[in-house]
Amino acid sequence: MDYANLTAPCGLDCFNCPMYAAQENEKLRAMIAQRFDISPDKAQCPGCRAQGGIMDFFGWTEPCKVWRCIEPKGLHNCSECGDFPCDHLHPYADLAAERPHNTKVFNLALIKKMGLEPWAKEKAAQVKETYYQGKLEL
C-alpha cells in the first residue's frame, strides 16, 4: 500500500475511504452511486493525489483549497507548513450536531499553535460557530 500517495494533503486517509474501495468492489460502488445519486462510474475514487486535487465524483472542476495551497509550496501535506493549522483545514460540516468530535483535533492543534488562553479568547468561539453553522467551502 502506497500510504504516502493515498493520504490526501489535508490528512484524509484515502486508503480507508469507501470511495477508494469501490474501485474494486462493484456492490459497494452501486451502493455509493445510489446514496449520492451519481452514476456508478463516478462512485469511485483513486485518491485526490491521482486526480490533482480534483474530486471528480463531487463534480469538481478545480482542486480544493488545500491542494491549491500546498502545491505551489512544494509540500506533501499540511503538517509541513509553517502556517499549520490554518482555516483551510477547518472542519466545516453539514450535520455538525451529529459529528461534534471533528473539532477536537482542530482545537488541540490551535491550542498548540496559539497557546490555551489566546485560543480560548480569540478562536474557540469561531471554531464552534463555523463547525455548527458553516457549510462545506471548497
Side-chain angles (χ1 to χ4, degrees), residues 90-97 99 102 130-137:
H90 205 292
Y92 299 94
D94 292 330
L95 305 172
R99 299 181 193 132
N102 256 352
T130 301
Y131 186 75
Y132 283 98
Q133 298 173 8
K135 297 288 181 186
L136 183 62
E137 185 179 308

Side-chain angles (χ1 to χ4, degrees), residues 25-91:
N25 184 328
E26 287 185 41
K27 184 177 177 183
L28 179 59
R29 190 166 48 246
M31 288 170 44
I32 292 170
Q34 183 178 10
R35 180 168 184 233
F36 292 103
D37 193 28
I38 57 177
S39 66
D41 63 308
K42 295 259 187 205
Q44 56 186 322
C45 179
C48 79
R49 290 187 190 277
Q51 302 178 95
I54 298 172
M55 301 283 77
D56 186 48
F57 61 87
F58 282 136
W60 295 0
T61 58
E62 298 286 325
C64 72
K65 284 184 189 181
V66 169
W67 186 274
R68 292 189 311 256
C69 182
I70 64 115
E71 187 68 15
K73 294 177 181 177
L75 302 174
H76 186 72
N77 65 56
C78 294
S79 70
E80 299 170 346
C81 185
D83 292 328
F84 172 80
C86 73
D87 283 340
H88 291 317
L89 294 173
H90 205 292

